[in-house]
PDB file of all heavy atoms in Angstrom:
ATOM      1  N   MET Z 372      -8.745  -8.236   2.015  1.00 94.00           N
ATOM      2  CA  MET Z 372      -7.357  -8.219   2.468  1.00 94.00           C
ATOM      3  C   MET Z 372      -6.838  -9.630   2.743  1.00 94.00           C
ATOM      4  O   MET Z 372      -5.644  -9.898   2.611  1.00 94.00           O
ATOM      5  CB  MET Z 372      -7.224  -7.366   3.731  1.00 94.00           C
ATOM      6  CG  MET Z 372      -7.523  -5.881   3.513  1.00 94.00           C
ATOM      7  SD  MET Z 372      -6.411  -5.118   2.306  1.00 94.00           S
ATOM      8  CE  MET Z 372      -4.864  -5.212   3.184  1.00 94.00           C
ATOM      9  N   GLN Z 373      -7.728 -10.541   3.148  1.00 92.00           N
ATOM     10  CA  GLN Z 373      -7.304 -11.896   3.501  1.00 92.00           C
ATOM     11  C   GLN Z 373      -7.170 -12.812   2.282  1.00 92.00           C
ATOM     12  O   GLN Z 373      -6.551 -13.874   2.374  1.00 92.00           O
ATOM     13  CB  GLN Z 373      -8.302 -12.523   4.489  1.00 92.00           C
ATOM     14  CG  GLN Z 373      -8.341 -11.836   5.837  1.00 92.00           C
ATOM     15  CD  GLN Z 373      -6.978 -11.848   6.529  1.00 92.00           C
ATOM     16  OE1 GLN Z 373      -6.275 -12.858   6.517  1.00 92.00           O
ATOM     17  NE2 GLN Z 373      -6.605 -10.726   7.125  1.00 92.00           N
ATOM     18  N   TYR Z 374      -7.741 -12.404   1.153  1.00 93.00           N
ATOM     19  CA  TYR Z 374      -7.732 -13.235  -0.056  1.00 93.00           C
ATOM     20  C   TYR Z 374      -6.393 -13.082  -0.778  1.00 93.00           C
ATOM     21  O   TYR Z 374      -5.729 -12.050  -0.663  1.00 93.00           O
ATOM     22  CB  TYR Z 374      -8.895 -12.803  -0.951  1.00 93.00           C
ATOM     23  CG  TYR Z 374      -9.128 -13.670  -2.162  1.00 93.00           C
ATOM     24  CD1 TYR Z 374      -9.393 -15.035  -2.025  1.00 93.00           C
ATOM     25  CD2 TYR Z 374      -9.108 -13.126  -3.441  1.00 93.00           C
ATOM     26  CE1 TYR Z 374      -9.624 -15.829  -3.137  1.00 93.00           C
ATOM     27  CE2 TYR Z 374      -9.335 -13.915  -4.558  1.00 93.00           C
ATOM     28  CZ  TYR Z 374      -9.601 -15.264  -4.401  1.00 93.00           C
ATOM     29  OH  TYR Z 374      -9.812 -16.054  -5.510  1.00 93.00           O
ATOM     30  N   ASP Z 375      -5.987 -14.112  -1.537  1.00 91.00           N
ATOM     31  CA  ASP Z 375      -4.663 -14.089  -2.175  1.00 91.00           C
ATOM     32  C   ASP Z 375      -4.659 -13.642  -3.639  1.00 91.00           C
ATOM     33  O   ASP Z 375      -3.598 -13.534  -4.236  1.00 91.00           O
ATOM     34  CB  ASP Z 375      -4.006 -15.474  -2.071  1.00 91.00           C
ATOM     35  CG  ASP Z 375      -3.333 -15.670  -0.728  1.00 91.00           C
ATOM     36  OD1 ASP Z 375      -2.860 -14.669  -0.151  1.00 91.00           O
ATOM     37  OD2 ASP Z 375      -3.304 -16.808  -0.245  1.00 91.00           O
ATOM     38  N   TRP Z 376      -5.792 -13.432  -4.278  1.00 92.00           N
ATOM     39  CA  TRP Z 376      -5.920 -12.817  -5.592  1.00 92.00           C
ATOM     40  C   TRP Z 376      -5.071 -13.466  -6.692  1.00 92.00           C
ATOM     41  O   TRP Z 376      -4.199 -12.825  -7.278  1.00 92.00           O
ATOM     42  CB  TRP Z 376      -5.607 -11.312  -5.511  1.00 92.00           C
ATOM     43  CG  TRP Z 376      -6.510 -10.614  -4.563  1.00 92.00           C
ATOM     44  CD1 TRP Z 376      -6.203 -10.153  -3.323  1.00 92.00           C
ATOM     45  CD2 TRP Z 376      -7.923 -10.390  -4.750  1.00 92.00           C
ATOM     46  NE1 TRP Z 376      -7.311  -9.636  -2.712  1.00 92.00           N
ATOM     47  CE2 TRP Z 376      -8.398  -9.767  -3.568  1.00 92.00           C
ATOM     48  CE3 TRP Z 376      -8.820 -10.645  -5.779  1.00 92.00           C
ATOM     49  CZ2 TRP Z 376      -9.721  -9.398  -3.406  1.00 92.00           C
ATOM     50  CZ3 TRP Z 376     -10.153 -10.289  -5.625  1.00 92.00           C
ATOM     51  CH2 TRP Z 376     -10.584  -9.670  -4.454  1.00 92.00           C
ATOM     52  N   PRO Z 377      -5.354 -14.734  -7.011  1.00 89.00           N
ATOM     53  CA  PRO Z 377      -4.631 -15.362  -8.125  1.00 89.00           C
ATOM     54  C   PRO Z 377      -4.895 -14.678  -9.457  1.00 89.00           C
ATOM     55  O   PRO Z 377      -4.066 -14.742 -10.366  1.00 89.00           O
ATOM     56  CB  PRO Z 377      -5.152 -16.805  -8.121  1.00 89.00           C
ATOM     57  CG  PRO Z 377      -6.460 -16.754  -7.384  1.00 89.00           C
ATOM     58  CD  PRO Z 377      -6.285 -15.678  -6.360  1.00 89.00           C
ATOM     59  N   GLY Z 378      -6.053 -13.992  -9.580  1.00 89.00           N
ATOM     60  CA  GLY Z 378      -6.366 -13.272 -10.820  1.00 89.00           C
ATOM     61  C   GLY Z 378      -5.973 -11.814 -10.790  1.00 89.00           C
ATOM     62  O   GLY Z 378      -6.291 -11.061 -11.722  1.00 89.00           O
ATOM     63  N   ASN Z 379      -5.326 -11.382  -9.699  1.00 93.00           N
ATOM     64  CA  ASN Z 379      -4.785 -10.028  -9.579  1.00 93.00           C
ATOM     65  C   ASN Z 379      -5.855  -8.941  -9.695  1.00 93.00           C
ATOM     66  O   ASN Z 379      -6.988  -9.156  -9.284  1.00 93.00           O
ATOM     67  CB  ASN Z 379      -3.650  -9.838 -10.590  1.00 93.00           C
ATOM     68  CG  ASN Z 379      -2.461 -10.707 -10.249  1.00 93.00           C
ATOM     69  OD1 ASN Z 379      -1.870 -10.570  -9.196  1.00 93.00           O
ATOM     70  ND2 ASN Z 379      -2.131 -11.648 -11.140  1.00 93.00           N
ATOM     71  N   ILE Z 380      -5.492  -7.772 -10.248  1.00 94.00           N
ATOM     72  CA  ILE Z 380      -6.406  -6.619 -10.259  1.00 94.00           C
ATOM     73  C   ILE Z 380      -7.659  -6.924 -11.067  1.00 94.00           C
ATOM     74  O   ILE Z 380      -8.761  -6.488 -10.716  1.00 94.00           O
ATOM     75  CB  ILE Z 380      -5.697  -5.371 -10.823  1.00 94.00           C
ATOM     76  CG1 ILE Z 380      -4.493  -5.016  -9.958  1.00 94.00           C
ATOM     77  CG2 ILE Z 380      -6.655  -4.189 -10.887  1.00 94.00           C
ATOM     78  CD1 ILE Z 380      -3.607  -3.950 -10.555  1.00 94.00           C
ATOM     79  N   ARG Z 381      -7.508  -7.681 -12.161  1.00 92.00           N
ATOM     80  CA  ARG Z 381      -8.675  -7.996 -12.992  1.00 92.00           C
ATOM     81  C   ARG Z 381      -9.714  -8.778 -12.195  1.00 92.00           C
ATOM     82  O   ARG Z 381     -10.910  -8.532 -12.314  1.00 92.00           O
ATOM     83  CB  ARG Z 381      -8.244  -8.796 -14.216  1.00 92.00           C
ATOM     84  CG  ARG Z 381      -9.397  -9.041 -15.206  1.00 92.00           C
ATOM     85  CD  ARG Z 381      -8.975  -9.927 -16.356  1.00 92.00           C
ATOM     86  NE  ARG Z 381      -7.976  -9.264 -17.180  1.00 92.00           N
ATOM     87  CZ  ARG Z 381      -6.796  -9.785 -17.493  1.00 92.00           C
ATOM     88  NH1 ARG Z 381      -6.459 -10.979 -17.038  1.00 92.00           N
ATOM     89  NH2 ARG Z 381      -5.947  -9.124 -18.258  1.00 92.00           N
ATOM     90  N   GLU Z 382      -9.255  -9.706 -11.362  1.00 92.00           N
ATOM     91  CA  GLU Z 382     -10.181 -10.473 -10.532  1.00 92.00           C
ATOM     92  C   GLU Z 382     -10.896  -9.569  -9.534  1.00 92.00           C
ATOM     93  O   GLU Z 382     -12.110  -9.689  -9.318  1.00 92.00           O
ATOM     94  CB  GLU Z 382      -9.431 -11.585  -9.796  1.00 92.00           C
ATOM     95  CG  GLU Z 382     -10.346 -12.498  -8.991  1.00 92.00           C
ATOM     96  CD  GLU Z 382      -9.604 -13.597  -8.248  1.00 92.00           C
ATOM     97  OE1 GLU Z 382      -8.348 -13.576  -8.246  1.00 92.00           O
ATOM     98  OE2 GLU Z 382     -10.274 -14.462  -7.652  1.00 92.00           O
TER      99      GLU Z 382
END
Side-chain angles (χ1 to χ4, degrees):
M372 295 300 293
Q373 294 301 318
Y374 187 58
D375 277 329
W376 301 106
N379 293 299
I380 300 171
R381 186 185 294 126
E382 184 181 7

